[in-house]
Amino acid sequence: DTEVTQTPKHLVMGMTNKKSLKCEQHMGHRAMYWYKQKAKKPPELMFVYSYEKLSINESVPSRFSPECPNSSLLNLHLHALQPEDSALYLCASSQVPGGLYEQYFGPGTRLTVT
Amino acid sequence: GIQVEQSPPDLILQEGANSTLRCNFSDSVNNLQWFHQNPWGQLINLFYIPSGTKQNGRLSATTVATERYSLLYISSSQTTDSGVYFCAVGPYNTDKLIFGTGTRLQVFP
């Protein structure tokens, strides 16, 4: 089973709201990732967690706050977002960190900021 | 940073036709994956192929790492093959996966 799940599927939030995106995998993978995909563009890496520790932050604004409470869960906390943050947010996982293993993606959360 | 270019950007085919998609990258990599993104946004893993050749049904892929390119072959295309095809590469000693520009494929009956 190579399933990564994400909730919610869709989210509409105002610029003053606080919300969270959730990602879960039960494959025993120890690397987890957040990507952002704008319309008609390729996904872009935001964060990487290796063994539950943040290892890469691609200069993402602080209004995006990642959290990895355990090896199966990855959250992305959202606060004071801008309309240009509207995008598809994708979570992924791979067996171990280091870039030598396949990444598997969840179905994504489609976020609209009004 | 590493650049990943895919060609062609758009491809329109009739059902049953064959096609070849290309991915060029600008530096050595230790990870290369091909994905199909369906209209709902789901990225479906097609191949993990940092080097060599693999086949899976109507699809096959070849990566020539020394020449920094990979090819995805689709034979006897079906309407369900429509969507965007991405290659993504991982530079050495990093967990990063950098996506190419994508090829948008439309298959008509």
Side-chain angles (χ1 to χ4, degrees):
Chain A
D1 184 14
T2 55
E3 189 179 24
V4 178
T5 59
Q6 290 187 244
T7 54
K9 286 188 171 49
H10 300 275
L11 179 62
V12 179
M13 60 185 289
M15 289 189 283
T16 58
N17 291 156
K18 286 184 182 181
K19 297 284 185 184
S20 296
L21 310 185
K22 181 178 169 181
C23 172
E24 198 162 1
Q25 56 86 15
H26 295 288
M27 298 177 279
H29 288 180
R30 302 307 299 276
M32 296 187 76
Y33 312 81
W34 281 114
Y35 289 82
K36 173 180 178 178
Q37 186 178 20
K38 300 281 281 181
K40 298 193 186 302
K41 297 287 188 185
E44 292 182 336
L45 182 67
M46 300 174 72
F47 302 104
V48 180
Y49 272 83
S50 301
Y51 299 106
E52 297 88 69
K53 290 190 182 345
L54 183 66
S55 60
I56 296 177
N57 176 343
E58 291 286 85
S59 303
V60 178
S62 59
R63 58 186 183 268
F64 296 91
S65 175
E67 178 197 22
C68 190
N70 61 56
S71 60
S72 301
L73 272 175
L74 187 65
N75 298 319
L76 186 62
H77 303 297
L78 314 172
H79 171 57
L81 294 193
Q82 304 297 310
E84 59 264 28
D85 296 322
S86 298
L88 180 67
Y89 288 84
L90 294 160
C91 173
S93 71
S94 66
Q95 189 170 340
V96 291
L100 292 176
Y101 290 87
E102 200 167 352
Q103 290 190 26
Y104 296 91
F105 283 77
T109 293
R110 202 166 290 278
L111 173 68
T112 303
V113 182
T114 61
Chain B
I2 195 167
Q3 303 297 312
V4 187
E5 294 289 331
Q6 291 184 240
S7 59
D10 295 282
L11 191 54
I12 300 174
L13 298 175
Q14 191 148 29
E15 216 167 16
N18 302 330
S19 59
T20 301
L21 282 58
R22 187 176 179 103
C23 172
N24 291 333
F25 44 98
S26 61
D27 205 348
S28 300
V29 298
N30 64 2
N31 183 348
L32 191 145
Q33 294 185 237
W34 281 98
F35 296 94
H36 174 211
Q37 189 166 42
N38 66 23
W40 298 271
Q42 174 79 59
L43 280 166
I44 299 161
N45 288 46
L46 298 178
F47 294 102
Y48 171 75
I49 187 167
S51 64
T53 297
K54 290 186 177 179
Q55 179 154 9
N56 184 1
R58 296 182 297 105
L59 272 59
S60 63
T62 294
T63 297
V64 184
T66 52
E67 297 188 22
R68 298 181 187 165
Y69 73 89
S70 184
L71 302 174
L72 177 69
Y73 305 96
I74 305 174
S75 64
S76 304
S77 56
Q78 301 175 357
T79 56
T80 51
D81 295 332
S82 297
V84 182
Y85 289 80
F86 288 107
C87 78
V89 303
Y92 274 99
N93 299 318
T94 175
D95 276 303
K96 296 184 182 184
L97 202 57
I98 297 164
F99 281 74
T101 46
T103 292
R104 184 172 300 274
L105 174 64
Q106 298 178 72
V107 181
F108 290 96

